[in-house]
Amino acid sequence: MLKTIAAFDRIGEENAFAVLARANALIAQGRDVINLGIGQPDFRTPEFIVEAAIKALRDGHHGYTAANGIVPLREAVAADLHKRYGVEVSPDAVMIMPGGKPTMFMSILMFGEPGAEIMYPDPGFPIYRSMIEFTGATPVPVPIREENGFAFSAEETLKLITPKTRLIILNSPANPTGGVTGKAEVDKLIDGLEKWPDVAIMSDEIYDQMTYDGEKHVCLLSYPSIRDRLILLNGWSKTYAMTGWRLGYAVFPPKLYDYARKLAVNLHSCVNASAQYAGLAALKGPQDEVRAMVAEFDKRRKVMVEGLNKLPGVSCATPKGAFYAYPNIKRTGWKAKALASSLLEDAGVAIIGGPDFGILGEGYVRLSYANSTENILKALGRMNEFLSTRKAA
Ligand code: PLP
């Protein structure tokens, strides 16, 4: 028998990938399935970005780069953060990553060990808890509540901090709820965190460009009092429709930067060189395709929320960010995962049950509106028919 470490009994997964695989298997059998399960833009990467990657390869950029990324890209990230948020970031604090996930992986690895507590949003991106458990640290869920517009609560977060807390993970705009936390609430949290100078913060801002109804994203880099213990997670996946390129970035404080650089050297050496040149073109090029994509998401968001609120037993708060709707299905009588599974198998609509995002996810499901309006309307029609005719299992 192979003897592997016990941590692998605790590591979790992201069920969106399992739902995607099942949806594709059904499609391969000839079934008509509308996939509102996976969280990725349905747009193509803008053509000038693709061209930049091709050019980079033709120009001979096919070797290793520095583990922390090419200098022009780190400079472009710093300039972009300055342009959008007015924050000073040294390119030496920016690390280019193979996607957004490696930043959470590394950050949790830096602080997680038995006896340590790590706080994370629940419902939230499933990898947070999975990785916390993997390290042997104690996961401490911070409740994200519908009655609070799915914003995190500063008061509730601060109350959960103990002398064992090492890291707090924040995410706004949020997956799976689409919730956005406003400036007043973030201010309150940062004020409270001044009493806990040993607690690190990882702010997952991967959806920062996707806010609606005039909601302004608050970048945590704008708070000087936490800069020496703040890790920023961001990347190209969602903003530029580049999920498959595996390109992201982190901003680390100096001590952690070197840990991350060493982890990179041990793990992946560097990020794919041509993808880095594509990322550079994305930041330096015109941003109108990003704006057009967000405007299109906004339209679909309205269609989806309106449609969901007409379904029997369903009520859906209007999400202010990302590209997810997170309706309350408690009055349908269905358990969330049973509903998601039956909708996929019997009605050809792939969605994700709330419990896949945490203990507090029961009674909710997540639908991504990164799909065409036509498909969204068709899916809503199928859901209406299903909920009107089928008894809760
Ligand atoms: N953070 C959140 C909140 C996400 O929803 C996702 C992807 O779904 C990621 C990070 C990971 O992004 P990437 O695909 O760049 O690793």
Side-chain angles (χ1 to χ4, degrees):
M1 258 310 251
L2 298 176
K3 272 206 164 172
T4 53
I5 60 168
F8 284 101
D9 297 334
R10 301 190 299 264
I11 197 163
E13 277 201 70
E14 200 185 338
N15 201 35
F17 283 96
V19 172
L20 177 66
R22 181 66 190 145
N24 285 339
L26 290 172
I27 291 166
Q29 290 167 17
R31 293 273 306 277
D32 171 19
V33 176
I34 301 169
N35 192 352
L36 305 180
I38 194 81
Q40 69 178 337
D42 56 320
F43 298 97
R44 283 175 60 97
T45 304
E47 210 51 42
F48 72 92
I49 300 176
V50 175
E51 286 304 323
I54 295 168
K55 180 172 183 308
L57 286 171
R58 292 223 163 95
D59 288 350
H61 295 295
H62 36 61
Y64 292 124
T65 74
N68 56 344
I70 58 172
V71 173
L73 185 54
R74 291 192 286 111
E75 286 173 348
V77 167
D80 179 60
L81 288 168
H82 185 262
K83 184 175 78 189
R84 294 193 294 116
Y85 299 117
V87 292
E88 297 295 337
V89 176
S90 162
D92 293 338
V94 176
M95 177 157 316
I96 307 305
M97 292 285 198
K101 270 182 183 168
T103 301
M104 65 186 80
F105 186 94
M106 288 187 185
S107 308
I108 295 167
L109 218 53
M110 286 177 201
F111 294 98
E113 63 182 344
E117 291 177 1
I118 299 184
M119 289 162 55
Y120 69 101
D122 183 334
F125 194 52
I127 301 305
Y128 304 144
R129 185 181 173 107
S130 161
M131 270 307 295
I132 297 167
E133 300 220 71
F134 184 70
T135 65
T138 305
V140 179
V142 177
I144 304 294
R145 301 185 191 280
E146 182 179 6
E147 55 271 29
N148 206 18
F150 295 118
F152 55 75
S153 148
E155 194 183 330
E156 221 165 345
T157 307
L158 291 165
K159 269 196 199 145
L160 288 167
I161 303 179
T162 76
K164 291 183 184 160
T165 307
R166 295 260 182 92
L167 176 68
I168 301 177
I169 299 172
L170 302 170
N171 174 221
S172 173
N175 179 4
T177 61
V180 173
T181 306
K183 185 169 181 307
E185 201 64 21
V186 180
D187 285 354
K188 222 155 87 181
L189 178 68
I190 305 299
D191 272 358
L193 284 174
E194 283 175 20
K195 285 197 213 85
W196 298 97
D198 299 334
V199 174
I201 301 121
M202 189 197 79
S203 183
D204 181 344
E205 302 186 15
I206 198 121
Y207 296 102
D208 68 339
Q209 306 231 30
M210 290 167 185
T211 56
Y212 313 104
D213 298 340
E215 195 73 41
K216 268 213 156 68
H217 173 68
V218 183
C219 177
L220 263 72
L221 289 170
S222 6
Y223 294 87
S225 71
I226 55 161
R227 278 294 289 272
D228 63 346
R229 52 195 168 112
L230 172 70
I231 302 162
L232 177 78
L233 180 160
N234 208 330
W236 286 258
S237 295
K238 316 286 174 174
T239 312
Y240 297 98
M242 291 177 73
T243 49
W245 293 72
R246 308 314 300 140
L247 186 66
Y249 68 83
V251 177
F252 284 107
K255 174 173 178 176
L256 302 184
Y257 192 93
D258 213 47
Y259 291 171
R261 189 191 55 75
K262 284 182 180 154
L263 279 173
V265 171
N266 277 271
L267 187 64
H268 58 263
S269 293
C270 68
V271 174
N272 176 305
S274 61
Q276 294 191 55
Y277 283 91
L280 182 60
L283 293 182
K284 293 211 151 174
Q287 303 297 303
D288 36 338
E289 288 188 63
V290 175
R291 280 190 286 271
M293 190 166 72
V294 175
E296 181 59 29
F297 283 144
D298 190 10
K299 277 194 214 148
R300 298 170 181 181
R301 174 182 72 116
K302 288 171 183 151
V303 170
M304 184 173 266
V305 171
E306 194 188 321
L308 285 169
N309 277 312
K310 286 186 186 149
L311 299 181
V314 176
S315 65
C316 184
T318 303
K320 293 288 171 76
F323 41 62
Y324 306 109
Y326 195 66
N328 182 324
I329 56 142
K330 289 174 190 168
R331 284 184 299 113
T332 65
W334 282 87
K335 288 277 183 211
K337 288 196 55 125
L339 178 62
S341 158
S342 300
L343 274 172
L344 177 57
E345 300 297 330
D346 304 339
V349 179
I351 64 172
I352 315 280
D356 284 332
F357 301 99
I359 301 152
L360 293 181
E362 188 50 82
Y364 298 86
V365 291
R366 186 192 83 173
L367 297 89
S368 159
Y369 46 88
N371 206 320
S372 67
T373 301
E374 189 192 345
N375 278 342
I376 290 170
L377 288 170
K378 208 148 100 185
L380 286 165
R382 290 181 187 180
M383 288 172 75
N384 191 34
E385 163 85 18
F386 181 93
L387 287 169
S388 308
T389 54
R390 283 278 296 265
K391 278 221 150 36

